[in-house]
Structure formats: structure tokens, C-alpha cells
Amino acid sequence: MPARDLDVVVFGASSVTGRRVAAYLAERAPEAGAAWAAAGRDPAKIERVLAEEGAAAPETIAADVGDPESLAALAARAKVVLNLVGPYTLHGRPVIDACVAGGASYVDLTGEIPFVRRVIAEVDAAAGKAGVKVVQVCGFEALPPDLAVQLAAEAAADRFGEALADVDLLVSTDALPMPPRPSDMVSGGTLQSVAAAASDEDAAVISDPACLVDDPALATAIRRASPLSVVPRRGPGGVVVAPIAPAGFINPPVIQRSHALRVAATNGSPEPAAFRYREGIAIDGPAFTLPLRFAAAGMLSAPQLGFLRLAEASPGVRQRIGAGLERILPSSGFGPATDRIERWRWRMSLVAKTSGGHELSVEVRGKGHPGYLTTARVLGEAGLLLAEQGATPKGSGCLTPAAAIGTAEIDRFARAGLEFELAG
């Protein structure tokens, strides 16, 4: 592979999240001794936007998804390209193809699972042959839960010689900006991505937790052991569990693909059984508030159930409704205000049981808005790790965050506001 002068390139650096990835790298890359650049359609706009964030890129590169030559030039210089130009179903494939052809690893934030499934089917072999990693769904969905499950799986194997049998992960918030605003929760870009996934030609796969698993026998076992659900439920200690926002059908397929890749790495001998994975947002409170808490969980569940029903509709219906959603949902410029995203504090609490009945727990603590600040910083740190020789596991192809990044350097994410603690 020819020498590359850039470790990490942020493509789409003027977007809501891209500007925050760039701001993180402006501070963090010099500490790591890494060379980075910002890229996008309008370099002048990128420079203006980054100045508003109090940051500047060492270099700003002109590149556009509609200009293959610009993408090829970008990929030829970078070890890792972080792609922030979505929705990825519409705009992601040219960037992925340029990276694979140019020998650069690729990372994005997509939650569009039908698109991820097509990329695996069509790009995995080429990426493996090129020796590069294609890592998708690498933000709040699904890096923190994926790495947390990976920690638990490794501990179960190392301590007990056992596989995971049951995993329950709950998300809760410790601090929020007040008073709350609609834009605090989900950005327009995220909503547009969820709508794109639900109206995709392969949308029906979003209800399948094993849709990213290649092994038919293991996929069948996963569907039987761990069916996907976005319906509110009771959790431990009397908490009400609502589906994770913006969609409870993003993390499970990624986590189950990580499991499948672990199985493949052991050559299936002995083959670990499928495990049940459940997740959700914990809504706690006194017993008398139970009806109110279930009502709040229902409000989070209802639109997700609607997206799942849309995914099951005929192609014509999906296209019409998808086009309507694209018009009425906020655009990609709608998102949390910069002065509010620092105030968030949140946790993921994972409890895992092994095949032999042992119990493990992993606590994940996050600083900053999970989707639009922690995600940006985590993506930046992931890019630095992937660009660094020997910092991540060997392997190439279409990989999950856990398979691509591993846990050996997991403490590095503390610099990005994400801490992991294994117990049990």
C-alpha cells in the first residue's frame, strides 16, 4: 500500500455531527501524533463552520459524493475516512467503494440496517481482499453496547470458559439540559435516516435481529432465542423499559453480527449457542407513577411500531409514505443546540448471564449528548485507533465496531467521554 499522508479524514465536516467530530480531532489528533483533514463539498463553508466551533482543520479538502475522482483522491491519501454524509442509503455507497478501491478503511454512523445488509453482501469480500475495514453503525448506535457485550463475552470465556446466554442492557440519564426542547433528543438527519431505512426496498429486514448474520443455522438460532421487540415492558426493580431512541431495531442486528464473527473466529468449535439480547431506556420512579411511566414508554414505542409496520407494507406504499416523511420531517440541519449538548450525563448498565449461570455486569458512563456529542467524539477516537498500527485487532472486511476496534484499547474512549467498567 502506498504511503498516506493523512491518518484520518472527516468527510462531511460541516454537518451537525461532522463539525463536532472535526472539533474533537482538532484537539485530540495533535496529542495522538496523528495527521487529519476535513473534507466536503464546500471547503469555505467547512472553515466557517469549524471557526464557529472554535476549531480549525490543518487542511480542508474539496470532495463530493457525486464526483468519483474527488473521492478516489481522498481515499488515496487517508488511512481512515470518517463519513458523515447521510442518509447513507442515498449517499454512502460511492464513498465506501472509493475507500475499498483506494485502500482506506471506512467508518460511518448509519442506522440504516437494510443498507448495512447490502454493503455486507456486496462489499465484504472486496474489502477483505483489499485489507481494509468497513465499519458501519459506529456511533451511539452501536459502539457502546457492542463493546460492552464484547467485554462481557470475553470475560465469560476467560473466567469461566462459557458463552453468554442472556444479556439485558438498560440506558438511563443522570443529567439533562432544562427545560427540555424537541431538538434536544433527535436531529433531523437521524429522523431522515430512520425514515430511509423504513422505506427501503429491503425494509422488511429491520425487524430481523439476525439480518446481518451470514450463517443460516446461527441466524435461525438467534431469531428463536432473541426476537426483536420495541414494546414497553417491566424491567428489574420495577423500572419501565421503553425502546431505545431513535430506534430499537438498530443495535440488535449489529450485536448479533458481532456474536457471529466471534463464532467464526473460533471456527465454530465448540460453537457458542445464540444468546438473548434485550435493551431499552429505563424509566424509573415511585410505584404510583407506573401508569405515567408506561404512558411515556408508549409514546417512545408508538412511532417505532409505525416504522416496523411501514417496513412490512408493499413497495409502493413504502415509497409514498417515505417520500411524505422526507418532506415533513426536519431536515439534516435540525439538531441540538451547541450550548446544551455538554450538559448530558448518561449510563448503560449491562447484566449478562453465562451458559453456566454466572453473572457479569458492565457499566458504561457517557458525558455529553449521546447522539450528537459523545457520538462525535467516539467516532473521532475510533478513527484514530483504526489508523494506528497495532491498536485494533487484525482483520478486514465489513466489520462491526466490536470486531473492528476490539477491547484492548477500550480505555482510550474515556478521552472521548465514554468509560467502560467490567464487574462480576
Side-chain angles (χ1 to χ4, degrees), residues 154-247:
E154 291 172 352
D158 293 343
R159 297 179 186 182
F160 313 118
E162 297 169 359
L164 297 180
D166 187 275
V167 174
D168 210 331
L169 181 143
L170 295 179
V171 181
S172 57
T173 54
D174 297 323
L176 294 169
M178 299 300 289
R181 300 175 184 171
S183 61
D184 285 338
M185 301 303 294
V186 180
S187 77
T190 297
L191 292 172
Q192 293 284 346
S193 290
V194 173
S199 58
D200 190 277
E201 61 183 349
D202 298 320
V205 304
I206 68 174
S207 62
D208 179 5
C211 67
L212 305 183
V213 174
D214 299 324
D215 182 338
L218 182 56
T220 298
I222 288 168
R223 294 182 188 111
R224 185 167 53 245
S226 188
L228 190 148
S229 175
V230 295
V231 176
R233 59 184 171 90
R234 291 290 295 272
V239 301
V240 173
V241 181
I244 282 183

Side-chain angles (χ1 to χ4, degrees), residues 52-272:
E52 293 170 358
E53 295 287 331
E59 181 180 356
T60 305
I61 302 169
D64 191 295
V65 293
D67 182 354
E69 290 185 3
S70 70
L71 296 178
L74 188 70
R77 295 184 58 190
K79 294 179 182 176
V80 179
V81 173
L82 306 179
N83 183 16
L84 283 301
V85 180
Y88 296 94
T89 299
L90 300 177
H91 307 303
R93 188 60 185 269
V95 188
I96 294 172
D97 289 343
C99 286
V100 172
S105 286
Y106 167 95
V107 190
D108 70 28
L109 296 176
T110 187
E112 299 153 49
I113 295 300
F115 172 65
V116 176
R117 187 170 185 261
R118 284 196 297 275
V119 170
I120 291 169
E122 298 170 5
V123 177
D124 185 46
K129 186 176 180 180
V132 301
K133 296 178 178 180
V134 174
V135 191
Q136 299 186 270
V137 205
C138 197
F140 178 70
E141 301 93 7
L143 184 147
D146 200 24
L147 287 182
V149 174
Q150 181 84 359
L151 275 176
E154 291 172 352
D158 293 343
R159 297 179 186 182
F160 313 118
E162 297 169 359
L164 297 180
D166 187 275
V167 174
D168 210 331
L169 181 143
L170 295 179
V171 181
S172 57
T173 54
D174 297 323
L176 294 169
M178 299 300 289
R181 300 175 184 171
S183 61
D184 285 338
M185 301 303 294
V186 180
S187 77
T190 297
L191 292 172
Q192 293 284 346
S193 290
V194 173
S199 58
D200 190 277
E201 61 183 349
D202 298 320
V205 304
I206 68 174
S207 62
D208 179 5
C211 67
L212 305 183
V213 174
D214 299 324
D215 182 338
L218 182 56
T220 298
I222 288 168
R223 294 182 188 111
R224 185 167 53 245
S226 188
L228 190 148
S229 175
V230 295
V231 176
R233 59 184 171 90
R234 291 290 295 272
V239 301
V240 173
V241 181
I244 282 183
F249 45 79
I250 297 174
N251 291 332
V254 177
I255 286 161
Q256 295 295 358
R257 178 167 175 79
S258 292
H259 173 61
L261 292 171
R262 287 192 294 269
V263 171
T266 63
N267 296 317
S269 179
E271 181 175 336

Side-chain angles (χ1 to χ4, degrees), residues 233-373:
R233 59 184 171 90
R234 291 290 295 272
V239 301
V240 173
V241 181
I244 282 183
F249 45 79
I250 297 174
N251 291 332
V254 177
I255 286 161
Q256 295 295 358
R257 178 167 175 79
S258 292
H259 173 61
L261 292 171
R262 287 192 294 269
V263 171
T266 63
N267 296 317
S269 179
E271 181 175 336
F275 68 92
R276 183 178 72 165
Y277 173 77
R278 295 191 299 176
E279 65 177 18
I281 298 173
I283 307 177
D284 204 357
F288 71 87
T289 65
L290 184 62
L292 291 175
R293 288 184 282 135
F294 261 108
M299 292 176 64
L300 290 171
S301 177
Q304 298 196 35
L305 287 169
F307 281 123
L308 289 173
R309 298 293 83 79
L310 173 60
E312 296 171 353
S314 66
V317 171
R318 285 203 308 270
Q319 291 170 5
R320 288 194 298 273
I321 295 179
L325 289 172
E326 185 178 346
R327 289 192 298 269
I328 65 175
L329 288 173
S331 68
S332 58
F334 173 86
T338 300
D339 63 346
R340 296 171 66 83
I341 60 176
E342 290 279 4
R343 304 179 201 176
W344 287 70
R345 297 293 182 271
W346 53 275
R347 288 178 287 128
M348 287 182 174
S349 299
L350 180 150
V351 176
K353 294 180 181 178
T354 71
S355 54
H358 294 94
E359 190 168 290
L360 297 160
S361 64
V362 178
E363 191 79 6
V364 183
R365 291 178 292 274
K367 297 178 182 178
H369 189 292
Y372 307 105
L373 185 56

